[in-house]
Amino acid sequence: MISTEAMKTSISASTYLNMEPSMRTFLLLALTFVAINGQNERIILLEESIEFVDEILHKNPEKIHNRYVKVIFHGGSCSEDTICQAAKVLKNTFLNHSKLHRNLFEYAKNTGHGNCNVTASEEHSIERFLTKIKKCCQVLNSRQLKSLGHEKRP
Protein backbone atom coordinates (compact mmCIF):
# COMPACT_ATOMS: atom_id res chain seq x y z
CA MET A 1 0.00 0.00 0.00
CA ILE A 2 1.30 3.47 -0.91
CA SER A 3 1.36 6.05 1.86
CA THR A 4 -0.62 9.26 1.44
CA GLU A 5 2.67 11.20 1.43
CA ALA A 6 3.98 9.13 -1.46
CA MET A 7 0.72 9.64 -3.35
CA LYS A 8 1.12 13.41 -3.12
CA THR A 9 4.51 13.36 -4.79
CA SER A 10 4.11 10.63 -7.39
CA ILE A 11 1.84 9.45 -10.14
CA SER A 12 0.49 5.98 -10.56
CA ALA A 13 1.96 3.58 -13.09
CA SER A 14 -1.33 3.42 -14.97
CA THR A 15 -1.44 7.23 -15.27
CA TYR A 16 2.14 7.24 -16.53
CA LEU A 17 1.48 4.48 -19.06
CA ASN A 18 -1.66 6.23 -20.34
CA MET A 19 0.22 9.45 -21.06
CA GLU A 20 1.15 10.43 -24.55
CA PRO A 21 4.69 9.26 -25.39
CA SER A 22 5.89 12.86 -25.78
CA MET A 23 4.52 13.73 -22.32
CA ARG A 24 6.28 10.71 -20.80
CA THR A 25 9.53 11.82 -22.41
CA PHE A 26 9.04 15.35 -21.08
CA LEU A 27 8.32 14.03 -17.58
CA LEU A 28 11.47 11.89 -17.58
CA LEU A 29 13.59 14.80 -18.83
CA ALA A 30 12.15 17.11 -16.17
CA LEU A 31 12.83 14.62 -13.39
CA THR A 32 16.37 14.07 -14.66
CA PHE A 33 16.94 17.83 -14.73
CA VAL A 34 15.73 18.16 -11.13
CA ALA A 35 17.97 15.29 -9.97
CA ILE A 36 21.08 16.68 -11.69
CA ASN A 37 20.51 20.21 -10.40
CA GLY A 38 20.18 18.84 -6.86
CA GLN A 39 23.54 17.09 -7.28
CA ASN A 40 25.15 20.28 -8.63
CA GLU A 41 23.80 22.33 -5.72
CA ARG A 42 25.30 19.85 -3.26
CA ILE A 43 28.67 20.06 -5.02
CA ILE A 44 28.62 23.86 -4.84
CA LEU A 45 27.67 23.82 -1.14
CA LEU A 46 30.54 21.43 -0.35
CA GLU A 47 33.10 23.38 -2.40
CA GLU A 48 32.08 26.66 -0.77
CA SER A 49 32.26 25.04 2.67
CA ILE A 50 35.84 23.93 1.97
CA GLU A 51 36.72 27.51 1.00
CA PHE A 52 35.04 28.93 4.11
CA VAL A 53 36.96 26.56 6.39
CA ASP A 54 40.24 27.65 4.77
CA GLU A 55 39.25 31.28 5.22
CA ILE A 56 38.40 30.80 8.90
CA LEU A 57 41.59 28.86 9.62
CA HIS A 58 43.85 31.39 7.92
CA LYS A 59 42.13 34.72 8.56
CA ASN A 60 40.82 34.22 12.11
CA PRO A 61 43.39 32.21 14.07
CA GLU A 62 42.79 34.31 17.21
CA LYS A 63 39.08 33.45 17.18
CA ILE A 64 39.72 29.71 17.13
CA HIS A 65 42.58 29.69 19.64
CA ASN A 66 41.66 27.87 22.88
CA ARG A 67 38.08 27.14 21.82
CA TYR A 68 36.60 23.67 21.98
CA VAL A 69 33.60 21.90 20.47
CA LYS A 70 31.95 18.50 20.73
CA VAL A 71 33.61 15.58 18.93
CA ILE A 72 31.38 14.25 16.15
CA PHE A 73 33.97 12.58 13.93
CA HIS A 74 34.41 9.07 15.28
CA GLY A 75 36.83 6.72 13.56
CA GLY A 76 37.06 8.87 10.45
CA SER A 77 33.32 8.78 9.85
CA CYS A 78 32.02 11.12 7.17
CA SER A 79 28.43 11.17 5.95
CA GLU A 80 25.55 13.52 5.29
CA ASP A 81 24.50 12.99 8.91
CA THR A 82 27.99 14.03 10.04
CA ILE A 83 27.54 17.31 8.14
CA CYS A 84 24.23 17.83 9.94
CA GLN A 85 25.93 17.24 13.28
CA ALA A 86 28.72 19.66 12.34
CA ALA A 87 26.13 22.35 11.58
CA LYS A 88 24.50 21.73 14.97
CA VAL A 89 27.86 21.97 16.75
CA LEU A 90 28.66 25.25 14.97
CA LYS A 91 25.36 26.66 16.20
CA ASN A 92 26.91 26.88 19.68
CA THR A 93 30.03 28.79 18.53
CA PHE A 94 30.97 32.17 17.15
CA LEU A 95 30.37 30.60 13.71
CA ASN A 96 26.60 30.43 14.26
CA HIS A 97 24.90 31.93 11.18
CA SER A 98 28.24 32.15 9.35
CA LYS A 99 28.49 31.18 5.68
CA LEU A 100 29.99 27.86 6.74
CA HIS A 101 27.18 27.14 9.19
CA ARG A 102 24.49 28.03 6.64
CA ASN A 103 26.11 25.93 3.89
CA LEU A 104 26.50 22.86 6.08
CA PHE A 105 22.92 23.12 7.30
CA GLU A 106 21.62 23.62 3.74
CA TYR A 107 23.62 20.61 2.52
CA ALA A 108 22.20 18.47 5.32
CA LYS A 109 18.64 19.57 4.48
CA ASN A 110 19.25 19.03 0.76
CA THR A 111 20.34 15.43 1.38
CA GLY A 112 17.46 14.67 3.75
CA HIS A 113 19.59 14.77 6.90
CA GLY A 114 18.46 18.11 8.32
CA ASN A 115 17.31 16.61 11.61
CA CYS A 116 20.08 14.99 13.64
CA ASN A 117 21.34 14.73 17.21
CA VAL A 118 24.72 15.45 18.73
CA THR A 119 25.29 13.24 21.76
CA ALA A 120 29.05 13.57 22.18
CA SER A 121 30.53 14.30 25.57
CA GLU A 122 34.16 14.67 24.52
CA GLU A 123 35.56 17.88 23.08
CA HIS A 124 38.48 18.87 20.88
CA SER A 125 39.82 22.13 19.49
CA ILE A 126 37.74 24.03 16.98
CA GLU A 127 40.80 24.10 14.70
CA ARG A 128 40.86 20.28 14.61
CA PHE A 129 37.08 20.25 14.16
CA LEU A 130 37.26 22.62 11.17
CA THR A 131 40.05 20.59 9.60
CA LYS A 132 37.90 17.47 9.87
CA ILE A 133 34.89 19.29 8.39
CA LYS A 134 37.07 20.28 5.44
CA LYS A 135 38.24 16.70 4.89
CA CYS A 136 34.69 15.39 5.18
CA CYS A 137 33.44 17.94 2.63
CA GLN A 138 36.25 16.88 0.28
CA VAL A 139 35.27 13.20 0.63
CA LEU A 140 31.57 13.90 0.05
CA ASN A 141 32.38 16.21 -2.86
CA SER A 142 34.48 13.50 -4.46
CA ARG A 143 31.60 11.03 -4.09
CA GLN A 144 29.17 13.52 -5.65
CA LEU A 145 31.48 14.15 -8.60
CA LYS A 146 31.99 10.43 -9.19
CA SER A 147 28.24 9.85 -9.14
CA LEU A 148 27.93 12.43 -11.94
CA GLY A 149 30.78 10.82 -13.88
CA HIS A 150 33.34 13.57 -13.19
CA GLU A 151 36.73 12.80 -11.74
CA LYS A 152 37.74 16.41 -11.09
CA ARG A 153 35.85 19.61 -11.50
CA PRO A 154 37.70 22.30 -13.52
Side-chain angles (χ1 to χ4, degrees):
M1 183 168 165
I2 298 175
S3 70
T4 56
E5 196 61 33
M7 289 172 58
K8 290 179 190 175
T9 59
S10 65
I11 61 172
S12 69
S14 62
T15 302
Y16 177 77
L17 292 174
N18 289 327
M19 285 181 179
E20 299 243 353
S22 60
M23 186 55 112
R24 282 189 291 208
T25 303
F26 173 75
L27 182 61
L28 289 173
L29 286 172
L31 292 173
T32 302
F33 178 75
V34 168
I36 289 173
N37 279 341
Q39 290 275 22
N40 288 338
E41 182 180 349
R42 292 177 195 150
I43 290 168
I44 291 167
L45 288 168
L46 291 169
E47 288 176 349
E48 286 180 352
S49 296
I50 293 165
E51 290 173 16
F52 296 148
V53 167
D54 282 338
E55 186 177 307
I56 294 163
L57 289 171
H58 297 292
K59 292 186 179 179
N60 298 315
E62 69 284 346
K63 283 189 175 181
I64 61 175
H65 185 68
N66 289 330
R67 295 195 184 198
Y68 296 87
V69 293
K70 302 252 183 219
V71 174
I72 59 162
F73 297 97
H74 302 287
S77 66
C78 177
S79 66
E80 287 83 3
D81 196 53
T82 307
I83 296 295
C84 176
Q85 291 176 355
K88 291 237 177 177
V89 167
L90 289 177
K91 189 173 185 171
N92 297 319
T93 70
F94 70 94
L95 293 168
N96 187 26
H97 300 297
S98 67
K99 291 178 184 179
L100 176 61
H101 178 249
R102 289 191 307 265
N103 270 27
L104 294 177
F105 185 69
E106 187 61 34
Y107 179 84
K109 279 187 357 184
N110 191 302
T111 59
H113 292 85
N115 189 14
C116 60
N117 293 318
V118 178
T119 58
S121 58
E122 293 180 47
E123 293 187 341
H124 60 187
S125 72
I126 199 164
E127 181 177 10
R128 185 173 173 198
F129 179 80
L130 290 171
T131 302
K132 288 187 178 224
I133 287 175
K134 179 181 173 181
K135 287 180 184 174
C136 185
C137 288
Q138 290 169 331
V139 166
L140 292 173
N141 190 39
S142 177
R143 287 182 200 160
Q144 293 285 327
L145 290 171
K146 283 181 184 175
S147 73
L148 288 176
H150 303 289
E151 289 304 311
K152 278 192 173 180
R153 192 165 184 209

